[in-house]
Amino acid sequence: MENTASRSFFGLTVLLFLSFSTPAHARQPTPALLSQGDSLRQSPPDSLSRPTVFALDSISYRFFGDGSFTQGNVSRSLVVLRAEVAVNGPVLSISTNPRFSYGKQSGVLAERDTYVDLFVDVFKKRKTYVFGLATVEISNLRGIDLRQLAGAGIGYRLLQTERNTLTLTNALIHESTDFAERPTIVTQRNSFRAKGSHALLKNKLQLNHVTFVQPSLSDFSNLRWNTLISLQMPLYKWVSIRTSYANTYESEVEATRSHHDSIFTFGVSLGNSL
């Protein structure tokens, strides 16, 4: 009896073991199913790729502090703060060169000028590229309450080496100038710019220059130009001492203002190379 019960119990055990082990083997996924399951969890490669048109992958910047001070029969003080910031990508480059100047002559406010610009360049790394620009300017020195301009144009890299660069641009712009006393002038201009940088004396000196010539398309006697030339001597990787010369001419000015302005300044610059 006991042998019969033992044999029955042993047979039941074997039957249960076979019953549970067989489905377990059946439930194991095949390599094809595993591959299919992984493919469902993974996103298609195209869906993960980021558009490169608006990608910006590098930034360069410099900050400048210039000034000039004289004492005597005429006491004059002038402080000029500038910045150059550029964010670059494979397609787009965005740059700005804001400027603020504050000066007094014989204790009377002479200059409190603000200038902000924005350039958006497309394919700037190529020899020929296109760009758009916009600027806003306020000038106590020239009696301008607000000047606004916007436009677009084309640029050409005339020279591009490790030690020398020269870029020429030409744009058509729409300009509106609100003077403090005279009526507002609205005009369209052609804006030509030459901008370059040159390493001198085995990179011990750096010469930078930019010149704008902007005649009105409707009246060529309505002319503006400005030039900024700076000479820098690097002291450390991020610090340079510099001297600069700025010259500005405007044919349309307030009655009490001069057409020409020239400024020599001396100061320092901080930042990485542009």
Side-chain angles (χ1 to χ4, degrees):
M1 187 73 178
E2 290 181 357
N3 292 335
T4 303
S6 299
R7 287 195 297 269
S8 300
F9 179 76
F10 177 77
L12 181 60
T13 301
V14 173
L15 181 61
L16 290 175
F17 175 79
L18 293 175
S19 299
F20 282 103
S21 62
T22 301
H25 286 290
R27 286 194 299 267
Q28 291 181 355
T30 62
L33 291 176
L34 284 173
S35 176
Q36 183 178 2
D38 290 342
S39 66
L40 292 176
R41 288 192 296 266
Q42 295 177 353
S43 299
D46 292 342
S47 66
L48 296 178
S49 61
R50 297 177 58 187
T52 59
V53 175
F54 300 104
L56 300 172
D57 50 23
S58 65
I59 182 171
S60 53
Y61 53 88
R62 285 188 296 182
F63 301 98
F64 310 95
D66 298 338
S68 62
F69 305 90
T70 60
Q71 293 289 334
N73 293 321
V74 176
S75 298
R76 177 182 172 84
S77 60
L78 173 66
V79 175
V80 182
L81 303 176
R82 308 177 191 269
E84 295 179 359
V85 181
V87 184
N88 302 304
V91 177
L92 294 181
S93 297
I94 302 173
S95 61
T96 181
N97 304 270
R99 180 178 69 248
F100 175 76
S101 60
Y102 182 89
K104 288 186 176 183
Q105 185 168 330
S106 299
V108 179
L109 178 66
E111 299 177 47
R112 187 172 56 200
D113 296 6
T114 301
Y115 172 89
V116 180
D117 63 14
L118 182 68
F119 286 82
V120 179
D121 305 311
V122 183
F123 297 117
K124 189 176 182 179
K125 296 180 180 179
R126 298 182 180 179
K127 198 173 186 66
T128 303
Y129 62 95
V130 296
F131 67 92
L133 76 155
T135 71
V136 175
E137 182 179 4
I138 300 172
S139 176
N140 179 76
L141 180 66
R142 295 188 297 278
I144 297 174
D145 288 339
L146 179 64
R147 169 175 287 156
Q148 306 172 78
L149 66 85
I154 188 170
Y156 179 73
R157 291 181 176 276
L158 186 63
L159 180 63
Q160 182 70 44
T161 67
E162 184 179 351
R163 301 181 60 182
N164 298 280
T165 66
L166 180 61
T167 303
L168 306 178
T169 66
N170 198 77
L172 298 178
I173 60 176
H174 175 81
E175 178 185 281
S176 173
T177 304
D178 298 330
F179 290 96
E181 298 179 3
R182 63 180 299 176
T184 298
I185 294 180
V186 178
T187 188
Q188 287 72 44
R189 296 184 182 275
N190 184 82
S191 178
F192 173 79
R193 182 188 73 171
K195 182 178 182 180
S197 63
H198 311 278
L200 308 174
L201 300 178
K202 297 181 179 180
N203 295 327
K204 293 181 180 180
L205 291 176
Q206 182 77 25
L207 175 67
N208 298 302
H209 59 90
V210 57
T211 298
F212 285 90
V213 179
Q214 299 174 320
S216 171
L217 295 177
S218 58
D219 181 7
F220 283 100
S221 65
N222 182 352
L223 173 66
R224 296 200 294 115
W225 83 63
N226 62 76
T227 297
L228 176 63
I229 302 173
S230 66
L231 188 64
Q232 297 186 163
M233 183 175 68
L235 297 180
Y236 304 100
K237 181 179 180 181
W238 293 67
V239 182
S240 301
I241 59 174
R242 57 183 251 126
T243 183
S244 66
Y245 169 74
N247 177 266
T248 301
Y249 172 84
E250 295 196 18
S251 60
E252 300 294 332
V253 295
E254 295 277 11
T256 57
R257 300 304 202 270
S258 173
H259 294 282
H260 279 278
D261 288 296
S262 296
I263 302 173
F264 281 99
T265 55
F266 180 83
V268 297
S269 68
L270 305 172
N272 61 0
S273 298
L274 287 173

